[in-house]
Amino acid sequence: MTHVDEVITRVHREEWARVVATLARRLGDLDVAEEMAAEAFATAVERWPAEGVPPNPGAWLTTTAHRKAIDRLRREVRREEKHREALMLSGTPEPLGVVDDDRLRLVFTCCHPALAMEARIALTLRMVGGLTVPEIARAFLVEETAMGQRITRAKAKIKAARIPYGVPFREDLPARVTGVLTVLYLIFNEGYLASDPGREPVRGDLTAEAIRLTRLVRALLPADGEAAGLLALMLLTEARRAARVSASGELVALGEQDRGAWDRELIAEGHALVRARLASGEAPGRYQILAAINAVHTDARDVRDTDWSQVVALYDHLVRLDPSPIVRLNRAIAVAEIDGPQVALAQVDALPLEGYHAFHATRADLLRRLGRSAESRAAYDRAIAQAANTAEAAYLVRRRDQLAGP
Amino acid sequence: MAQYLMSVLNESAVATEEEQAAIDVFNERLQADGHWVFAAGLASPGAATVVDGRDAEPVFTDGPYLESKEHIIGFWIIEAPHLDVALRLAAAGSKSCNRRVELRPILGE
């Protein structure tokens, strides 16, 4: 890759959202903003190798995209004799970066609750992340045309229903921020535990993109503790990625991972975020507590050094915020380390999670530790049947086959 | 300003006195805040007639266009600058009539 190619790739990563966001505000049209931004980047690919990279690439791209939009709207105005569009174009372009929260407006528009969740995810990756439609289609194993239609439909709804290009009302803000974080977390999780059996089990491209977008959202919402918490949670999870799947493509449980393969830099950054949130004295939300739990795990150089009572205490806190059976299942796993598998199994058995593979995998492990092999085998069978992730299924099969005879 | 049709779904048939009172309060607020365009309740679908006047002689058919358990029993037309405002009004409207509502933009110029 030549130097200019590298610059263009980097500028695309860093400036795409800003160019789209600025244009969307100026033009009042997300669709045109996206198209013109893409054209401006194509022009850069054509011209920068010969003419050199401009001193302020972001400003160059925004100006180029804006000129293209004006040309196009002028053509349309002539053709359709509409004056409304012409009015929008009055005034000179603003210098880049004056209204930095354009990107925040873009994020809130893409994650609007009136859009279907899958549309929010696709739009966010396209408009904020700058991924191409084929890239997004590949990431979610959807036909390219279907993904293109999904994005087109979402943009059409934004226009027809007048989904605003703006920051939500103050009263709606907490719920809307939660909605944005949910979209980011879903993107991350799809990368971290890919649900499609035909795909590689851990998808570094998606987790990296989710982290990049979460960094952006955190920078745009510096006062939001949950944005910081989600970023910390992602970093501390991502730090273990290399140790999480074995050479033979099998999932490696937390307790069996090679902790030397964990990414110390990501862990240090995640821990710093968690400490800053604790120091704030504000009541933590869900992501902050999950990040704190992951901080406890990544703090232990050896699984035997894990402060399990701290983990259980954090889960107790989480259960108060979210008493869902899945949270209680995870709490019970930590309880097993303190009070033993018998106590934990009683708690697990009370949960209505028959359709959830992790419920059966947890039961299988607890029954195995209790020496109840036949029951453990049956539970592994059910977990394997329900596990969608290939690496996880491979891990469960091995554990089952290691059981002593019935 | 955009206009939205807010259709009320038939979660239950007739509005109770309490619901009607809450609807009145909501209507007054819509009018005071400048969001009001129009509102009405609808007779049951059994009272509907489908009319096809495209040919020389109009054809009348008894009953609603769509036979379905779900139908619309009333509607508001509201005016709002964008969807976030319309969604808040729809949430308040749904609460007042104690039923779900469907919010749909009316085509503009």
Side-chain angles (χ1 to χ4, degrees), chain B residues 3 11 13 16 29-30 39 45-46 48 51-52 54-55 57 61-62 96 103:
Chain B
Q3 292 191 342
E11 317 281 354
T16 66
R29 217 193 86 197
L30 281 182
V51 180
D52 187 347
R54 290 173 295 182
D55 295 321
E57 278 295 305
T61 315
D62 175 38
S96 77
L103 190 64

Short mmCIF file of all heavy atoms in Angstrom, two decimals, chain B residues 3 11 13 16 29-30 39 45-46 48 51-52 54-55 57 61-62 96 103:
data_model
loop_
_atom_site.label_atom_id
_atom_site.label_comp_id
_atom_site.label_asym_id
_atom_site.label_seq_id
_atom_site.Cartn_x
_atom_site.Cartn_y
_atom_site.Cartn_z
N GLN B 3 -47.62 16.91 9.31
CA GLN B 3 -48.81 16.37 9.95
C GLN B 3 -48.71 14.85 10.02
O GLN B 3 -48.10 14.21 9.17
CB GLN B 3 -50.06 16.78 9.14
CG GLN B 3 -50.30 18.29 9.24
CD GLN B 3 -51.65 18.69 8.68
OE1 GLN B 3 -52.26 17.95 7.93
NE2 GLN B 3 -52.11 19.87 9.06
N GLU B 11 -58.08 -1.98 21.19
CA GLU B 11 -57.71 -2.88 22.29
C GLU B 11 -58.98 -3.30 23.04
O GLU B 11 -59.09 -4.42 23.53
CB GLU B 11 -56.75 -2.21 23.26
CG GLU B 11 -55.63 -1.42 22.60
CD GLU B 11 -54.49 -2.28 22.08
OE1 GLU B 11 -54.50 -3.48 22.33
OE2 GLU B 11 -53.60 -1.72 21.42
N ALA B 13 -63.51 -2.20 23.10
CA ALA B 13 -64.51 -1.54 22.25
C ALA B 13 -64.78 -0.08 22.63
O ALA B 13 -64.29 0.84 21.99
CB ALA B 13 -65.78 -2.35 22.26
N THR B 16 -64.27 4.03 28.28
CA THR B 16 -64.93 4.22 29.57
C THR B 16 -65.03 5.71 29.86
O THR B 16 -64.40 6.52 29.18
CB THR B 16 -64.12 3.56 30.69
OG1 THR B 16 -62.88 4.26 30.80
CG2 THR B 16 -63.87 2.08 30.42
N ARG B 29 -55.02 19.94 25.65
CA ARG B 29 -53.58 20.24 25.61
C ARG B 29 -53.09 20.37 24.16
O ARG B 29 -52.31 21.26 23.84
CB ARG B 29 -52.81 19.13 26.33
CG ARG B 29 -51.62 19.64 27.11
CD ARG B 29 -50.70 18.52 27.53
NE ARG B 29 -49.74 18.20 26.47
CZ ARG B 29 -49.03 17.07 26.42
NH1 ARG B 29 -49.21 16.15 27.35
NH2 ARG B 29 -48.17 16.87 25.47
N LEU B 30 -53.55 19.48 23.30
CA LEU B 30 -53.17 19.56 21.87
C LEU B 30 -53.53 20.92 21.29
O LEU B 30 -52.76 21.54 20.57
CB LEU B 30 -53.88 18.47 21.06
CG LEU B 30 -53.36 17.04 21.10
CD1 LEU B 30 -54.21 16.16 20.17
CD2 LEU B 30 -51.90 16.96 20.67
N ALA B 39 -59.72 15.44 15.12
CA ALA B 39 -59.82 14.13 15.77
C ALA B 39 -61.25 13.64 15.67
O ALA B 39 -62.18 14.45 15.60
CB ALA B 39 -59.39 14.20 17.23
N PRO B 45 -66.54 -1.30 12.38
CA PRO B 45 -66.35 -1.67 10.97
C PRO B 45 -67.61 -2.25 10.34
O PRO B 45 -67.78 -2.17 9.12
CB PRO B 45 -65.23 -2.71 11.01
CG PRO B 45 -64.55 -2.51 12.32
CD PRO B 45 -65.55 -1.95 13.26
N GLY B 46 -68.48 -2.83 11.18
CA GLY B 46 -69.73 -3.40 10.66
C GLY B 46 -70.58 -2.35 9.97
O GLY B 46 -71.41 -2.66 9.11
N ALA B 48 -69.43 -0.09 8.00
CA ALA B 48 -68.74 0.42 6.82
C ALA B 48 -69.33 -0.10 5.52
O ALA B 48 -69.93 -1.19 5.49
CB ALA B 48 -67.26 0.03 6.89
N VAL B 51 -67.14 1.31 -1.44
CA VAL B 51 -67.75 1.88 -2.64
C VAL B 51 -66.71 1.88 -3.77
O VAL B 51 -65.59 2.34 -3.58
CB VAL B 51 -68.21 3.34 -2.36
CG1 VAL B 51 -68.85 3.94 -3.62
CG2 VAL B 51 -69.17 3.38 -1.18
N ASP B 52 -67.07 1.34 -4.93
CA ASP B 52 -66.20 1.40 -6.10
C ASP B 52 -66.89 2.21 -7.18
O ASP B 52 -67.81 1.73 -7.85
CB ASP B 52 -65.88 -0.02 -6.59
CG ASP B 52 -64.83 -0.01 -7.69
OD1 ASP B 52 -64.54 1.10 -8.24
OD2 ASP B 52 -64.28 -1.08 -8.00
N ARG B 54 -65.43 3.57 -9.82
CA ARG B 54 -64.57 3.76 -10.99
C ARG B 54 -65.28 3.44 -12.30
O ARG B 54 -64.88 3.90 -13.36
CB ARG B 54 -63.32 2.88 -10.85
CG ARG B 54 -62.40 3.40 -9.75
CD ARG B 54 -61.26 2.44 -9.50
NE ARG B 54 -61.76 1.17 -8.98
CZ ARG B 54 -60.96 0.15 -8.64
NH1 ARG B 54 -59.66 0.26 -8.78
NH2 ARG B 54 -61.47 -0.96 -8.15
N ASP B 55 -66.35 2.63 -12.23
CA ASP B 55 -67.07 2.30 -13.45
C ASP B 55 -68.33 3.15 -13.55
O ASP B 55 -68.60 3.96 -12.67
CB ASP B 55 -67.41 0.81 -13.47
CG ASP B 55 -66.14 -0.04 -13.54
OD1 ASP B 55 -65.22 0.39 -14.28
OD2 ASP B 55 -66.06 -1.07 -12.84
N GLU B 57 -71.54 2.51 -13.18
CA GLU B 57 -72.43 2.35 -12.04
C GLU B 57 -71.61 2.07 -10.79
O GLU B 57 -70.83 1.11 -10.78
CB GLU B 57 -73.38 1.16 -12.29
CG GLU B 57 -74.57 1.50 -13.14
CD GLU B 57 -75.51 2.51 -12.47
OE1 GLU B 57 -75.95 2.24 -11.34
OE2 GLU B 57 -75.74 3.57 -13.07
N THR B 61 -70.48 -2.42 -1.48
CA THR B 61 -70.30 -3.71 -0.80
C THR B 61 -70.39 -3.48 0.70
O THR B 61 -69.72 -2.59 1.23
CB THR B 61 -68.92 -4.32 -1.14
OG1 THR B 61 -68.71 -4.19 -2.54
CG2 THR B 61 -68.85 -5.78 -0.74
N ASP B 62 -71.20 -4.28 1.33
CA ASP B 62 -71.38 -4.14 2.78
C ASP B 62 -70.11 -4.58 3.51
O ASP B 62 -69.47 -5.54 3.10
CB ASP B 62 -72.57 -5.00 3.22
CG ASP B 62 -72.71 -5.00 4.74
OD1 ASP B 62 -72.48 -3.93 5.35
OD2 ASP B 62 -73.03 -6.07 5.30
N SER B 96 -53.78 8.50 27.24
CA SER B 96 -55.09 9.10 27.53
C SER B 96 -56.23 8.17 27.12
O SER B 96 -57.19 8.01 27.85
CB SER B 96 -55.22 10.46 26.84
OG SER B 96 -55.48 10.30 25.46
N LEU B 103 -48.72 5.73 14.51
CA LEU B 103 -48.37 7.08 14.07
C LEU B 103 -47.86 6.98 12.64
O LEU B 103 -46.93 6.22 12.37
CB LEU B 103 -47.28 7.63 14.99
CG LEU B 103 -46.94 9.10 14.85
CD1 LEU B 103 -48.12 9.97 15.24
CD2 LEU B 103 -45.74 9.43 15.72
#
